[in-house]
Structure formats: C-alpha cells, structure tokens
C-alpha cells in the first residue's frame, strides 16, 4: 500500500471544490452509514479495466469513455440509460470495425454526480446562493432550500448509481460486452465512504464508487487533497490535463500517483481546446516520454471548447470539437506518442446543446431541447459522426507477425 496513506489522509491536504455542509453531524452520520453499504463496483472489475487500459497503452486496444457531464436525478430513467448504453455500443462498433481493435468502453455513468464550479456563489438578480455542485450535493433550482448542500442526497445518488449499474449489467450481458463506469472523484467524503479493502488482496484498497476515477483539471494542483486520495487507491486513475498544466507539475503528479510505473494505472486526458492544443500538448508528451512513464493518452475535445452563444446558452461548436480530435492525433503522431483513447460528453437523448453536425443544431435551436445540468453534450447524431472521424484516424490493429 502507498506510504503514509489512509482513506482519510486527504483531510490533511487542501481540498478545493468541496461543499460546505451546515450540519457536520449529519454529514458524518451519512458517510458512516454509506461506509457500511455494499460496494457499487467489484474491485476485480477495476483490476480488469486496468489491464484493458494497459492493453490500449500498448496499441492492442482503444478506449472510448463517454456519457453525461452531470447525471441528474431528474433525467434518471431506464429509457435514458438504455439510450446512452446503445450509443456507446454503436460508437464502439464503428471504431472497432474500421480499426480492427477491441474498444474498451467506459461510461461517465452510474455516479457522475458531483461538479466543480468556477464560482462558490452564483449571483442572479441581485441575490447570491451557493453554486449548484451536482445532484449529489444540492439542487439546481436557484432557491435557498435547494442550493443548501444536503448529505441525504448521497443516499439518492447511491440508489441511482446502484440501479443504473444493475441495468447496465443486464444490457451488457445481453450484448455480450463489457462496460465499465467512471466519474470525477470530486466529493471526497463520499469517495472515502466507498473505499474498501480488497477481499483477498495484498492490503490494496479500492474506490468502489466506479471502476475508473479521475481527477479534474481544477483539483490536480500540487498539494491537492484529491491527488492524495487517489494516490492510495488501486483503481485505474485519470487526470484531466488543461493548458495550465506544466511539465514539472505533471511529472510530480505521475511520480506521486504511479511510483511503481504500473501499466494501465494512469490515463492522461488532454482537454486543451482546439486553439491551444498545438502549443500546450507537445511539452507534456515530451515530459512523459523523457521520464518513461507508462501513460494512456486520451483526448477530451469538449472541455476546452465551451463558448457562450449570443442568446446566453453555453455551447460547443461541433466543428471545433472535431478540430481538436484531429489535432490530438496529428500531434501524437508528430511527437511519437501513442493516442489511445477519446473522452466525450454525450447522451442518447436527442438534445440540442452543441451547435453544428450533419443535421445541424443552430444557435437558434439551442433552446429546443437543452436539458444538461452542466456542460453541453453531443446528441446521438453528433456522437456517431465523431465516432466515424475517430475511426478514420485512430491507430489500426497491427497485422499479426507471420
Ligand atoms: C468534466 O469532465 O465534466 C470536467 C469538469 O472536466 P475538467 O476537469 O477537464 O474541466
Ligand atoms: Co463537463
């Protein structure tokens, strides 16, 4: 096990993006109860995913990670779960057919509830209330009662994640496919409550809220409580890499999170923006190569390309999203790095949140079906179009040696 680490050691570090719960006793009671609940995922499956990511690093597979920016209690229904599952499978099918590679499928599902925000307090019409931090923390309605962080929401999140996993398990079994789950490990009291020692393990401890947990771009700074928490978990770990990440910080992160240089342990998710990836990504690829750290490089073409439309909607132009994907594969090729995955925000519902696409969503259409609780997602048409582009430019299966 990692030295001087415990599931609670993050509490001695700087934890950003955490809600302030008014009733500390209620928070402690909730997390203590959750700590006695069954795991959401099995450690053995997290281990399997780590091996699959190691395969993708070696060019024998490719990772597709996708789903909602924020799952919500309001959008929870079997129809929505089925539609997002279908979309992931269809995207994977397109990519597998062209490349000949197995696609490792990871949903941003069954636990993607907590969101980092750019402001603590949201101002509206002269009033200030705590920012919405995801349904596991507080409600999206701009009302005092709704915005107060409530630990009881963790139980509803647990129930929804459990039911979503059950449904996904049935769908995956019927399909004969594997689908793993992932989310940003942001809400640390919740994540700590769901850590468990491996049943027959060598003292390894797993985060059992999802197979893969990632650290967001806002919480991967040096000294971060989120990095400290992830350090001791045996799960595969993702790190979002935005334009402010420098080489030295990245190397320190990798040495901290993967001192044994275990293959499959770290996925670096580049989210630079189409306009900045050309200058921001190459230094990171070089630093990783120089240090010899085993990494799965993945591209999130969503989070660096968010703009505000003239009518006030937060959106992402689909053309810009595709530009970042193309740039990612070109830069990896130029730098001798292996591009092994993509990470997208999408939904199986026919929403109008990102502009553009073959059947274009216009700025005027955004209001029609804009349902996201956080960032704008691709609709199925856009997601499949993206899958075709990725299929065209992603690595191919190496022909078997004769
Ligand atoms: C996200 O994935 O929804 C997110 C907040 O990403 P990032 O940390 O890259 O900004
Ligand atoms: Co998002």
């Amino acid at each position: 096990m990692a030295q001087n680490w415990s599931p609670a050691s993050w509490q001695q570090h700087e934890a950003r993006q955490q809600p302030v719960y008014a009733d500390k006793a209620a928070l402690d009671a909730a997390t203590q109860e959750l700590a006695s609940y069954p795991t959401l995922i099995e450690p053995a499956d997290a281990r399997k995913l780590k091996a699959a990511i190691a395969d993708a690093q070696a060019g024998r597979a490719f990772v597709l990670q996708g789903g909602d920016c924020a799952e919500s209690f309001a959008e929870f229904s079997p129809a929505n779960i089925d539609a997002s599952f279908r979309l992931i499978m269809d995207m994977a099918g397109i990519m597998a057919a062209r490349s000949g590679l197995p696609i490792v499928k990871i949903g941003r599902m069954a636990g993607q509830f907590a969101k980092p925000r750019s402001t603590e307090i949201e101002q509206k019409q002269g009033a200030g209330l705590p920012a919405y931090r995801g349904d596991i923390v507080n409600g999206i309605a701009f009302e005092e009662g709704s915005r107060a962080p409530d630990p009881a929401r963790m139980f509803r999140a647990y129930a929804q994640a459990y039911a979503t996993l059950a449904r996904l398990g049935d769908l995956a079994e019927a399909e004969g496919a594997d689908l793993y789950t992932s989310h940003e490990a942001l809400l640390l009291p919740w994540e700590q409550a769901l850590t468990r020692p491996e049943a027959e393990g060598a003292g390894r401890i797993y985060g059992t809220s999802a197979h893969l947990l990632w650290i967001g771009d806002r919480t991967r700074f040096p000294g971060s409580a989120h990095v400290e928490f992830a350090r001791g978990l045996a799960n595969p770990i993702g790190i979002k890499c935005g334009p402010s990440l420098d080489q030295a910080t990245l190397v320190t992160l990798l040495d901290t999170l993967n001192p044994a240089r275990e293959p499959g342990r770290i996925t670096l998710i580049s989210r630079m923006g189409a306009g900045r990836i050309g200058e921001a990504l190459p230094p990171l690829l070089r630093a990783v190569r120089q240090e010899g750290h085993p990494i799965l490089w993945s591209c999130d073409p969503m989070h660096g390309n968010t703009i505000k439309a003239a009518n006030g909607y937060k959106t992402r132009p689909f053309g810009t999203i595709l530009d970042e994907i193309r740039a990612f594969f070109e830069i990896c090729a130029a730098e001798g790095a292996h591009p092994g995955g993509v990470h997208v925000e999408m939904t199986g519902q026919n929403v109008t949140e990102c502009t553009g696409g073959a059947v274009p969503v216009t700025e005027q259409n955004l209001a029609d079906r804009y349902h996201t609780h956080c960032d704008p997602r691709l609709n199925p048409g856009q997601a499949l179009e993206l899958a075709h582009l990725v299929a065209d430019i992603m690595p191919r299966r190496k022909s078997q040696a004769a």
Side-chain angles (χ1 to χ4, degrees), residues 4-13 188 192 195 225 228-229:
N4 305 319
W5 181 90
S6 80
S9 58
W10 63 267
Q11 295 177 17
Q12 309 311 315
H13 292 70
L188 291 172
Q192 180 187 333
T195 53
E228 171 61 17
F229 177 70

Side-chain angles (χ1 to χ4, degrees), residues 69 108 115-116 184 214 216-218 240 271 303 345:
C69 179
R108 285 178 64 118
K115 299 309 299 175
E184 179 174 350
W214 78 82
D217 194 47
R218 292 174 175 86
K240 291 289 204 91
R271 35 84 82 222
H303 286 89
E345 287 182 346

Side-chain angles (χ1 to χ4, degrees), residues 237-317:
I237 300 292
I239 309 170
K240 291 289 204 91
C241 303
S244 67
L245 181 59
D246 60 64
Q247 291 180 315
T249 305
L250 175 58
V251 170
T252 306
L253 268 173
L254 298 178
D255 289 344
T256 305
L257 288 167
N258 194 16
R261 302 187 175 219
E262 186 190 356
R265 161 76 167 164
I266 304 284
T267 299
L268 291 180
I269 306 162
S270 165
R271 35 84 82 222
M272 301 298 185
R276 300 180 79 169
I277 187 170
E279 79 204 60
L281 183 58
L284 302 185
L285 298 175
R286 284 171 209 157
V288 164
R289 192 182 54 216
Q290 256 158 39
E291 297 297 316
H293 265 286
I295 291 299
L296 182 81
W297 283 104
S298 176
C299 174
D300 165 359
M302 314 297 294
H303 286 89
N305 298 311
T306 313
I307 57 167
K308 206 169 198 175
N311 51 10
Y313 280 94
K314 203 157 73 148
T315 189
R316 291 161 169 160

Side-chain angles (χ1 to χ4, degrees), residues 205-224:
I205 295 193
Y206 281 84
T208 67
S209 60
H211 302 106
L212 179 143
L213 296 168
W214 78 82
I215 306 170
D217 194 47
R218 292 174 175 86
T219 49
R220 46 118 186 102
F221 60 93
S224 151

Side-chain angles (χ1 to χ4, degrees), residues 91-376:
M91 292 173 76
I94 290 165
M95 290 158 52
R98 288 281 330 250
S99 68
L101 289 174
I103 308 299
V104 182
K105 297 165 284 290
I106 311 175
R108 285 178 64 118
M109 293 179 88
Q112 173 50 26
F113 286 118
K115 299 309 299 175
R117 305 315 303 263
S118 44
T119 50
E120 290 280 320
I121 301 293
E122 184 181 342
Q123 301 287 344
K124 217 183 224 170
Q125 282 136 17
L129 288 177
Y132 170 63
R133 293 190 170 277
D135 277 7
I136 195 170
V137 172
N138 58 1
I140 198 165
F142 192 77
E143 293 154 13
E144 211 170 313
S146 151
R147 287 293 174 91
D150 179 1
R153 285 177 164 269
M154 291 182 184
F155 295 103
R156 190 158 171 198
Y158 180 92
Q160 183 167 326
Y162 204 94
T164 302
L165 278 158
R167 181 85 194 169
L168 289 173
D170 289 348
L171 292 167
E173 196 180 315
E175 187 89 7
D178 283 331
L179 176 69
Y180 298 97
T181 62
S182 67
H183 62 254
E184 179 174 350
L186 182 66
L187 183 61
L188 291 172
W190 154 268
E191 299 297 343
Q192 180 187 333
L194 288 171
T195 53
R196 301 283 184 276
E198 196 176 17
E200 323 251 321
R204 281 189 290 262
I205 295 193
Y206 281 84
T208 67
S209 60
H211 302 106
L212 179 143
L213 296 168
W214 78 82
I215 306 170
D217 194 47
R218 292 174 175 86
T219 49
R220 46 118 186 102
F221 60 93
S224 151
H226 292 81
V227 174
E228 171 61 17
F229 177 70
R231 180 170 77 89
L233 302 180
N235 304 61
I237 300 292
I239 309 170
K240 291 289 204 91
C241 303
S244 67
L245 181 59
D246 60 64
Q247 291 180 315
T249 305
L250 175 58
V251 170
T252 306
L253 268 173
L254 298 178
D255 289 344
T256 305
L257 288 167
N258 194 16
R261 302 187 175 219
E262 186 190 356
R265 161 76 167 164
I266 304 284
T267 299
L268 291 180
I269 306 162
S270 165
R271 35 84 82 222
M272 301 298 185
R276 300 180 79 169
I277 187 170
E279 79 204 60
L281 183 58
L284 302 185
L285 298 175
R286 284 171 209 157
V288 164
R289 192 182 54 216
Q290 256 158 39
E291 297 297 316
H293 265 286
I295 291 299
L296 182 81
W297 283 104
S298 176
C299 174
D300 165 359
M302 314 297 294
H303 286 89
N305 298 311
T306 313
I307 57 167
K308 206 169 198 175
N311 51 10
Y313 280 94
K314 203 157 73 148
T315 189
R316 291 161 169 160
F318 187 59
T320 315
I321 291 170
L322 297 189
D323 285 346
E324 181 158 358
I325 294 211
R326 282 189 207 97
F328 173 78
F329 283 95
E330 281 164 19
I331 293 165
C332 284
E335 296 291 334
H338 180 74
V342 290
H343 177 123
V344 289
E345 287 182 346
M346 59 187 211
T347 171
Q349 305 170 72
N350 192 16
V351 298
T352 53
E353 297 173 3
C354 295
T355 56
V359 182
V361 173
T362 64
E363 288 206 1
Q364 288 67 44
N365 295 142
L366 286 174
D368 296 353
R369 290 180 304 282
Y370 194 98
H371 300 312
T372 184
H373 276 225
C374 195
D375 293 335

